[in-house]
Amino acid sequence: MLFKPATVAQLGQFDEVIDVRSPSEFAEDHIPGAINCPVLDDAQRHEVGSLYKQVSPFEARKVGAALVSRNIAQALEEQFADKPRNWRPIIYCWRGGQRSGAMATVFAQVGWPVYQLQGGYKAYRHDVLAQLETLPATLDLRVVCGPTGSGKSRLLDAFARAGHQVLDLEGLANHRGSVLGKLPGSPQPSQKSFDSQLLAAIRQLDTSCPVFIESESKKVGQVTLPLALFERMHQSPCLLVDVPLAERVRFLLEDYDFYVSDPESLIKQLSFLKAVHSGEQLGHWSSLIRSGEFGALVGELLTLHYDPLYLRSMDRHYVHLAQAQAITLHSLEHKELAHIAKTLHVA
């Protein structure tokens, strides 16, 4: 064999991590920092796969070899022509098989010390899931609790700016964690991509220092938190944020202004609450929306839906909530949040 094998544990030792899978496979998830250089694009992969099933493996390999050869040649001319002799790349595909093997063979013939990832992306994915089962137990979490609209995300941002460690689950999930939490024009990552980003974020944390994290449900939009992290949050000390209702309403109107400018989309999202609220109640909220009474709407959503749901969930899951350190905020302005973040005792 002209190239050498390497394991997931060795990924940090190379100058470049090259993912030769198709663009759609790469978009779903990839090793952080990897570049995509597909030896077969999506259409070509479909063509070769169809030949394999419908004609014969031999015909598929013959067509595939020609396509792969042309794509590797193009990559050598356009992406890697300036790489020095001592450049050390590692190449991977789905299972560490023919696609990465083809590019690794050509690169080795050029003279580069090239490596192929054993087991490919599947081995990396297995390692991600294994680490997400164990690493959360090493974190010294401080869970920021408080009802919807109490500024937990703003407080986390203030903690980060004050130099504290923060694990921002909603930021990683690209979702604000409620039925109205979907951000317009900004899709969530796939579950696999979320897991990869979460693991990368956890690896950067200093386990000897506290880490602030927001209380969340098991699912943040369409992605699911690892069970080990979810359970670690429930067993960790809590900070309880208390904010006046009027201030929570103001905050939510600021952060969800895209619904104010698109009332029908708000009505559509609220329709997902039909399992827990009557048609009469949903109709009343739709009337408030269409008449522009957004302050009244938000106040009712908080008192009739979010707050009861929050209290039931928190009492059931967070075992240290009764001993939580209280943070009383009279407003959600950055000045007050910054002061709290700087003076908070977290030892």
Side-chain angles (χ1 to χ4, degrees), residues 330-342:
H330 300 291
S331 77
L332 293 170
E333 301 300 336
H334 290 298
K335 185 176 181 180
E336 183 176 3
L337 293 171
H339 174 73
I340 291 291
K342 289 179 180 179

Side-chain angles (χ1 to χ4, degrees), residues 255-268:
D255 271 26
Y256 290 84
D257 59 337
F258 49 86
Y259 279 128
V260 175
S261 60
D262 188 5
E264 292 304 315
S265 69
L266 178 54
I267 292 172
K268 180 180 178 181

Side-chain angles (χ1 to χ4, degrees), residues 229-293:
L229 177 62
F230 196 51
E231 293 179 342
R232 182 65 171 177
M233 290 164 63
H234 291 166
Q235 299 296 323
S236 298
C238 299
L239 307 174
L240 184 57
V241 185
D242 179 28
V243 181
L245 178 62
E247 185 69 7
R248 293 165 60 200
V249 170
R250 180 184 70 82
F251 164 67
L252 290 172
L253 288 174
E254 288 179 2
D255 271 26
Y256 290 84
D257 59 337
F258 49 86
Y259 279 128
V260 175
S261 60
D262 188 5
E264 292 304 315
S265 69
L266 178 54
I267 292 172
K268 180 180 178 181
Q269 284 301 114
L270 289 179
S271 69
F272 291 106
L273 298 178
K274 62 184 178 181
V276 290
H277 291 285
S278 68
E280 181 181 2
Q281 181 66 74
L282 293 177
H284 168 64
W285 285 338
S286 295
S287 297
L288 290 178
I289 293 170
R290 292 193 171 109
S291 62
E293 298 178 69

